[in-house]
Every structure is written in C-alpha cells, then in structure tokens.
Amino acid sequence: MKFNLKPKKTAVVVVIWATSLLLGIFYSAQAKLSFFDPNSELAMNMQDIAFDSRLSQLLQENGVQVQNAVVHFTAEHCFCQRIAKRHIRSVKHLAQSQHYQNIEVSISRFTQLESYIPSVPAIAVFNADAKLHYLGPYSTGLFCAPQKGLVERFIQQKSQAGNMVLGANIIHEASGCYCEV
C-alpha cells in the first residue's frame, strides 16, 4: 500500500502530530508537579520558635554531626531523586568547595524526621555552630534543574558573610518533582 500525500497535506499532518505530542508531554509533566509541603505540616511546625533547634538536636541524637554540614535527605524508590541526580551532585560539589561536609540521611531510617521533612529530595544547611541556615527542596520545577536552584545561595553565603546566620530560611511553598514522605 502506497500513500500519496501531497507536500502541503504532509506538512499539516506533521504539524498536528508534533503539536499533539508536545501537548501530551506538557500535560504529563504538569500532572507530575507536586507541592513540597502538600499537607502544610512543615508550615505548621515551623511556627514553633524552637523548630530549627529541635531539628538540629534530633539529627545529632541520631549520630548526624550537623556542624558545618549540608544534609541531603533521601527516600528509597523516589523517582524525583533520580531526576534531580545531576543537580544534587552539583550542590554536593559546591558544598565541598565551601568547606561543608556532605551527609546523606535516609528518611526511612529516621521516621521522626517526617514532621520536619515533608518531601524529598530535600536539603538542610547548618553552620559551624549547628544552627540551621536553610531547609527545603533543592529547587523548583519538574526537572529539579540547577537554573531553578534554591539552596545554592545559602551555601555560598558562608564564604561571603562568614558564619553569621540571622535565622533559618525554611522553604515550604514550592512545586516541583517531589516524593511525599
């Protein structure tokens, strides 16, 4: 069987096919976006003035040395962590270049962290005094791209402003590719 489409008809079919394909990809991508703090648990918990101190203490009680550390929170079987792998690797390199230690913490190993970390991939930055400087997602958007990174400026501020931290920066209103814990 031979198809004899005229060039104009072929172009129209290709444009319709490509448009349908792009719309399908866009719809699928939008369906994968989720909120970092979907149930507002982090938003509620961070209203406690001792929230950041309790997180630091909880981690230290479980053997995590948070002084001058970047803590990368993970969960098993999270597809979004695989998508963010390149960005996570670049954040680890940045942290190392700024003389932070990189520590990975599995949420499934520390179930007490669920009230502090609503979704993964997530990250926390602590200064030399074990004070929380940043808590939240690596970035926003579907692909966790470095161009939409949130955490980098908090890691870089250390070298620019010493260890002065005025308070914890906690990001809970973000949407992207996150796995709810």
Side-chain angles (χ1 to χ4, degrees), residues 38 67 113 125 163:
Q67 292 84 3
L113 287 172
V125 179
N163 278 337

Side-chain angles (χ1 to χ4, degrees), residues 4 14 18 22 49-50 53 55 63 65-66 76 84 87 95 121 161 164 168 181:
N4 278 332
V14 168
L22 288 173
I49 198 159
S53 299
L55 174 60
Q65 296 302 316
V66 297
E76 294 179 27
H87 186 202
M164 183 183 357
V181 188

Side-chain angles (χ1 to χ4, degrees), residues 30-44:
Q30 292 301 316
K32 298 278 185 207
L33 285 175
S34 59
F35 292 107
F36 182 73
D37 187 16
N39 301 318
S40 300
E41 288 178 55
L42 179 58
M44 297 287 282

Side-chain angles (χ1 to χ4, degrees), residues 115-131:
S115 62
Y116 296 92
I117 312 298
S119 298
V120 291
I123 187 167
V125 179
F126 292 90
N127 71 3
D129 298 323
K131 301 272 188 226

